[in-house]
Each structure stands twice: as C-alpha cells, then as structure tokens.
Amino acid sequence: MSLINENKDFGVIAELIPNNASVIDVGCNDGSLLEYLREYKNIDGRGMEIDQKKVQLCLAKGISVIEGDADTDLYDYPDKLFDYSILTYTLQATKSPKTVMQQLVRISKKAIISFPNFGHWKIGASLLLNRKMPVSKKLSYSWHETPNLHFCTINDFIDLCEELEIKIEKKGDLSNKKLSNFSGKNFLDSYFNEVGLFLVSKD
Amino acid sequence: MSENKIVTLAEDEPLNLDGGGSLSKFKTAYTTYGKLNDKKNNSILVCHALTGDQYVASDHPITKKNGWWSMVVGPDKPIDTNKFFVICPNVIGGCMGSTGPKEINPENGKEFATDFPVITIADMVRAQKLLIDYLGIEKIFCVTGGSMGGMLVLEWLSKFPEMVHSAVPIATATNHSAQNIALNELARQSIMADPNWQSGNYYHSDKKPMKGLSVARMAAHISYLSKEALQSKFGRNLQDKNSLDYSFDADFQIESYLRHQGFTFVDRFDANSYLYITRAMDYFDVSSSNNGSLIEAFKNTQSKILCVSFTSDWLYPTSENKKIVKVFNSLGLNVSFIEIETENGHDSFLLDEPKFFEAIKGFINSTFENL
C-alpha cells in the first residue's frame, strides 16, 4: 500500500520524513498526522495544539501534546531538538508568521510548512469577478469569522524565506501528490497549486 | 473499599534524612485498591496533598466523608481500579498512622512531638520507595498527585526515574515561591502562637492548639480558592440574618464558612504534623541536590508525563506548571500539558472537573495500552 494513496496530504508529508525521526507537529489538530507518521514512519512525535478539545483527543490517542500557541510557546524548545517540525495550514492563522517560521527552523533541523496559496488562479478570479473575499474548500471561512490573519501566496512565502535566509529544499504539489527539488519561483506553482508545501531548513 | 494497612519499614537499615539524622523502623499507613497483575505493571501511586491522607477512595474514619479523590479513583472512574492497582500511603510526618510527631518514639516510649526530625519532600519519597519495594513492585506504572502530591511526583521523577513509567504532576511547582512560604509561615505562627500548643507537647493535655490550627486552616483555605469563586459563592451575603450585627460575630457567610472549615479540620489533623509538612513544602526545591539545575535534576528521567494546571489557581499557577513543562521539553521528554479552565482555584484538582477527569483518563489509559 502506498503511503500517498492513504491520505493525500499525510502521504506527501510522510515521504519527506525518514523512519525513526523525531517530529513536532505544531497545530497538530486531533493528532491524526502524528498517529499516521507513528504508524508508517515509527517517528517519535510531539504535538502542540491551541484547541483544548483537540488536545484531549491527542491525549486519548497516547500522543504527547502541549496545549499551547505557536506564536508564544515554541520559545520553550532548545535549538534543533527535533529532526522535523511540521506546520500544516496554521501559518496563516498565526499572529506573526515570520517569528513562527524562525522558531520552526531553530527548534528543528528541517521544517515542513504548508499553507493555502492565496495566489491560486481561482482566488484571483473570484476577487476579480465577484469583488468578494474568496471562499472555497481550502479557504472555507467568511471574511468576518476567519481565524486566518495573514494570507500569503507561494511567491510571498518564497520571498519571506529569502529574507529570513531560510533555505527551501523541496516543494510539494499536493494535487498531483508530487515532491520535487526547489529551484526558484515558478509560474505554474503560484497559479495552479491550491496549497503551498515546502521543506525548509536553516543551519 | 480498602482497609487501612500499616507496615514497618527500614527494619534493617535506617532511612537517612536530608536534614541529618535518620528514621528506623518507621511505620507507613496505606491503602490499596484493585489488584496487582501478574506482570506487576499496573500500579498507580497516588501522592496526597498537605492535609490529605491515605483515604483516597474510601470513607475517612474520622470525618466519615468520601475519600478525597473518590471521584477520580475507583471502579470505572478516571483511574479505574478494575484495571489498576492503586496505592496511597500517608506521608511520613503525617498524622493518620504513618510515623510522625504524634506517634510514639520507640527510643523513649513517648510521642515524638517536636523531637520528630524536620523532614523533606525527598525524605517522604525515599520512605514511599521502601513501601513500593516492600510491595514487590520494580516499576510503578504511574505516579500522580496534586499540590504537595505533585511535588512528590516531581521528586520521584528526579530521584527514582527508572522506577516510574509515567507521571501526572498536577497544580504544583518545582519549588515554593516566597508567597507560598509566607502563607505557610502565617499558618505555623498561628499554631505556635496558641498557648495550648505548649511547644508541641499537648498530646497528654486537656488543652490542644485547636484555635491556632483552625486559623492556620482558614488562612490556607483562602489560598485554595479563587477570588471569583469566593465572590460567586458567598459575595457579601449575610449568615442567617438580615442586617449587620455591629459585632465581631460571623456576620458574613464567608466568615461562617471559614470558621466551619477551621473547626472541622482540627478534629482530623494534628497541629505538629501541620508544622512539619508545611516546612517540608517550603524546603522543597527539586533542583536542590543538583546545584539548582532543573535540567540536571531530571536528566535521567525517561517517563511519559502529563502536567495539568488550572486557570484560576493562584497558589500554584499555570506559569509555575509551565516551568516544569519547559524543563521536560528541553530534555526532549514525552511530555503533555493541559490547562483546565475553571474558577475553582487551587482546589480544582479535588473537585468535579470533567475536563480534568477526561485528560487524566485519556492519558493513563492510552499510556497503559501502549505499554
């Protein structure tokens, strides 16, 4: 059974992580990604989650989880404690994406970051045609109730990595379940990937 | 239901104490619930708080009330005694049957009173370790407790890391703050200011330091509750009257409540024990034998840990509990943390807090399944 067929996002992330790695999932939800990685990659996993109901679900699954906030609680970890940190669909909801990214590459050797790409053509078209904030499957909140504070595009993310001297090693294309080496900005990615997924690091 | 049991420990060699001196052939009173399985891997050690005792889930012999954690420990409870073998010892220095100031000193046949050596939290843990050895358990599945019980948990993790598979320290701290010490000193001074205390030698006297102990309990009780809880429970309501008396009687409900807490406490607790145990808490600093380094104190710990705090607890606030989490995180340990929202203050760990129960149950059961 291929990892990728099991769950699209999980499978692509799992491909990036070697067996027995130590991993922290920041914004780990109900712990299902960590559980998946524990099963298929035998990782030593930790979670951080702000929503207590989800913290309870993690505890019941035997996942070590800190009820905490990515904006304030990553400072508690020493440098390069983990092999990998994961931040899926959370960057846009943090108060300071910049410091969160800096913390992620500080506490882990490599970081996997995914976020909704605000540069996707449908979003652009929706804004252009409807003059309304886009609502889609990946961006499912209305503007007045969204927890998302900082939307960015794939190109914005790449620029921020450059500014922070964070190295982008790989990029993922979730709709085609594909990983490839990163070689700079790419027109197709920024228009056609609904989700940006990158493997980054900073020595 | 569990019968109280008493065992004499340190029969061959004495238990050396942090403050110098030693205890030999000391007694430990304890209760157990459930059965130790064949693999001996299902034991849970419950550590009680300052005024707690071994009656964790059975009726108290003096107050006749339910055990102090009967909502947590029992069949089908968050700590399920159908599954786990629960052990709860009375700490040394206590007054419910373990060797302490009110027990007889075998050397002279009289109560220890203030001849009892000043003990520490680490001494209590060393004494508990002898009980665990006596019960034939090499590795405790889980050590848990709140407040002072949480300090005992931390000391277990530091002193006997290889014996602890998992741990749940609740509403506690790695050491006592100046404010914690100040509150305990207030309690001790009120006991010692009572002329009936008689330098601790009141055991054969008609006069016992009930007023001093009662005031100590009243002061402590305030620290166990939050301002919000006191306000919503009592406000400025008057006690059985419609107008102020313009006297020093208990006009307000809160006064009457505190007096009741104080009066009922003296029936079940020994004033000298209160002095000794509060002293042990003040002296507590889990890093003290490691030059103040918490990282050093826990460097051999491998246990899976859940830390719990309560939002309205100002005695052992979330910030103190997070300090513990930070140390465990720094060591890369398998640590979880949850902060329960409640207005019940420090006492929350003894009250009906469903989210707290859910967290304990989820952690303990999943940890046991992955054993």
Side-chain angles (χ1 to χ4, degrees):
Chain A
M1 178 172 54
S2 158
L3 292 182
I4 282 174
N5 289 338
E6 182 97 346
N7 175 309
K8 204 162 68 177
D9 291 16
F10 289 5
V12 174
I13 290 166
E15 297 271 300
L16 289 166
I17 295 176
N19 287 331
N20 309 318
S22 62
V23 177
I24 181 169
D25 185 1
V26 180
C28 65
N29 216 306
D30 65 356
S32 45
L33 173 58
L34 284 168
E35 216 180 14
Y36 182 91
L37 294 172
R38 193 166 63 181
E39 190 176 341
Y40 290 103
K41 293 285 181 166
N42 192 36
I43 61 146
D44 181 16
R46 306 281 186 279
M48 180 179 283
E49 175 55 51
I50 200 164
D51 180 342
Q52 190 174 89
K53 282 187 192 132
K54 293 171 180 172
V55 170
Q56 296 273 21
L57 294 172
C58 289
L59 288 176
K61 286 177 182 169
I63 286 166
S64 291
V65 59
I66 302 290
E67 182 180 353
D69 184 340
D71 276 302
T72 52
D73 293 321
L74 292 175
Y75 294 95
D76 286 355
Y77 297 92
D79 293 355
K80 307 295 180 199
L81 178 66
F82 300 101
D83 296 325
Y84 286 79
S85 60
I86 303 176
L87 187 79
T88 54
Y89 268 78
T90 302
L91 188 65
Q92 76 285 351
T94 61
K95 285 197 190 83
S96 172
K98 192 168 167 172
T99 46
V100 168
M101 277 174 55
Q102 283 169 317
Q103 288 301 315
L104 290 176
V105 292
R106 181 187 65 77
I107 67 171
S108 63
K109 292 174 191 131
K110 291 176 197 289
I112 297 165
I113 301 173
S114 77
F115 53 90
N117 172 25
F118 219 70
H120 189 261
W121 70 268
K122 277 188 192 159
I123 290 175
S126 167
L127 261 175
L128 200 69
L129 300 173
N130 303 329
R131 297 283 146 190
K132 281 170 75 72
M133 284 301 280
V135 176
S136 68
K137 219 164 123 189
K138 297 273 180 206
L139 299 170
S140 57
Y141 295 96
S142 294
W143 65 274
H144 51 83
E145 59 179 15
T146 179
N148 298 323
L149 305 172
H150 297 281
F151 281 122
C152 71
T153 69
I154 284 179
N155 287 345
D156 289 328
F157 180 85
I158 294 169
D159 286 345
L160 182 59
C161 285
E162 198 168 308
E163 184 194 323
L164 299 175
E165 294 174 333
I166 291 172
K167 186 183 162 203
I168 301 180
E169 299 187 10
K170 284 185 176 162
K171 62 175 185 180
D173 171 356
L174 288 179
S175 41
N176 294 310
K177 307 161 200 164
K178 222 173 59 190
L179 288 164
S180 49
N181 290 330
F182 179 74
S183 55
K185 281 181 192 164
N186 174 310
F187 171 83
L188 292 173
D189 291 350
S190 60
Y191 268 80
F192 295 107
N193 284 358
E194 274 190 272
V195 178
L197 184 139
F198 294 93
L199 176 71
V200 302
S201 66
K202 185 172 182 175
D203 292 334
Chain B
M1 268 311 210
S2 165
E3 295 290 312
N4 185 44
K5 305 174 187 79
I6 296 181
V7 60
T8 302
L9 300 167
E11 289 201 291
D12 301 330
E13 50 182 312
L15 175 74
N16 292 319
L17 302 171
D18 280 339
S22 62
L23 281 177
S24 41
K25 299 190 177 108
F26 69 87
K27 290 186 298 172
T28 287
Y30 67 102
T31 56
T32 63
Y33 307 81
K35 282 203 178 96
L36 187 63
N37 63 12
D38 292 342
K39 288 183 179 169
K40 298 188 176 185
N41 67 359
N42 69 332
S43 66
I44 296 184
L45 175 66
V46 175
C47 304
H48 67 72
L50 164 59
T51 65
D53 49 41
Q54 68 272 35
Y55 297 99
V56 57
S58 27
D59 293 352
H60 196 278
I62 298 169
T63 65
K64 311 293 179 203
K65 286 186 179 168
N66 290 340
W68 58 268
W69 232 13
S70 51
M71 279 185 281
V72 174
V73 177
D76 304 319
K77 299 281 168 69
I79 295 178
D80 186 352
T81 50
N82 293 322
K83 201 161 63 179
F84 297 109
F85 177 61
V86 175
I87 308 152
C88 185
N90 185 210
V91 295
I92 53 166
C95 53
M96 289 305 290
S98 290
T99 292
K102 80 166 201 188
E103 298 296 319
I104 301 295
N105 181 350
E107 280 178 24
N108 59 17
K110 291 184 190 160
E111 286 85 1
F112 278 101
T114 50
D115 285 340
F116 192 74
V118 169
I119 50 165
T120 64
I121 298 290
D123 292 333
M124 294 174 185
V125 165
R126 290 186 197 101
Q128 290 185 342
K129 194 245 178 206
L130 295 179
L131 174 67
I132 298 301
D133 291 344
Y134 164 80
L135 293 171
I137 296 167
E138 284 178 15
K139 191 158 196 166
I140 310 169
F141 166 66
C142 184
V143 184
T144 184
S147 198
M148 183 184 88
M151 297 175 186
L152 289 152
V153 176
L154 296 180
E155 201 67 65
W156 263 103
L157 287 169
S158 175
K159 290 280 181 315
F160 303 108
E162 69 290 344
M163 287 182 72
V164 182
H165 179 76
S166 64
V168 186
I170 302 157
T172 191
T174 60
N175 64 21
H176 249 195
S177 67
Q179 188 187 41
N180 293 140
I181 297 170
L183 287 163
N184 276 348
E185 175 62 359
L186 175 67
R188 285 189 294 269
Q189 288 300 330
S190 75
I191 291 169
M192 294 189 286
D194 186 335
N196 291 346
W197 180 59
Q198 304 170 67
S199 304
N201 298 303
Y202 51 80
Y203 294 112
H204 296 283
S205 162
D206 295 340
K207 295 173 175 173
K208 300 207 164 32
M210 285 163 46
K211 284 189 176 157
L213 181 59
S214 172
V215 173
R217 175 64 168 176
M218 287 166 76
H221 207 80
I222 300 167
S223 73
Y224 301 152
L225 303 171
S226 70
K227 187 179 175 183
E228 293 74 24
L230 279 177
Q231 197 61 30
S232 65
K233 208 166 167 184
F234 304 106
R236 292 178 53 81
N237 298 340
L238 300 181
Q239 180 68 31
D240 300 329
K241 56 185 75 169
N242 298 317
S243 58
L244 300 177
D245 266 355
Y246 295 95
S247 75
F248 294 109
D249 289 340
D251 273 2
F252 295 103
Q253 276 180 10
I254 178 63
E255 295 173 314
S256 159
Y257 170 77
L258 282 180
R259 288 180 189 193
H260 174 76
Q261 289 294 331
F263 290 146
T264 53
F265 181 61
V266 299
D267 294 335
R268 71 171 179 91
F269 215 85
D270 175 52
N272 284 335
S273 268
Y274 204 91
L275 299 180
Y276 278 94
I277 299 177
T278 55
R279 202 71 191 128
M281 293 170 78
D282 291 347
Y283 281 167
F284 177 64
D285 180 349
V286 71
S287 69
S288 61
S289 52
N290 294 285
N291 297 318
S293 164
L294 288 168
I295 297 285
E296 280 294 305
F298 294 107
K299 66 170 189 282
N300 295 319
T301 303
Q302 293 291 321
S303 315
K304 197 170 173 195
I305 301 159
L306 167 65
C307 295
V308 185
S309 73
F310 300 94
T311 48
S312 54
D313 182 351
W314 56 272
L315 198 59
Y316 300 98
T318 290
S319 57
E320 290 297 322
N321 290 278
K322 273 192 145 178
K323 230 187 254 176
I324 304 169
V325 175
K326 187 173 174 176
V327 174
F328 293 153
N329 270 335
S330 302
L331 288 159
L333 292 179
N334 252 307
V335 57
S336 294
F337 168 70
I338 192 162
E339 182 187 27
I340 305 297
E341 188 158 349
T342 169
E343 70 160 27
N344 285 324
H346 181 57
D347 254 358
S348 299
F349 77 97
L350 300 169
L351 301 174
D352 186 13
E353 293 284 353
K355 285 176 181 163
F356 168 51
F357 298 161
E358 183 188 348
I360 292 194
K361 185 180 179 178
F363 174 82
I364 287 182
N365 286 342
S366 65
T367 304
F368 192 63
E369 279 157 27
N370 290 321
L371 204 64

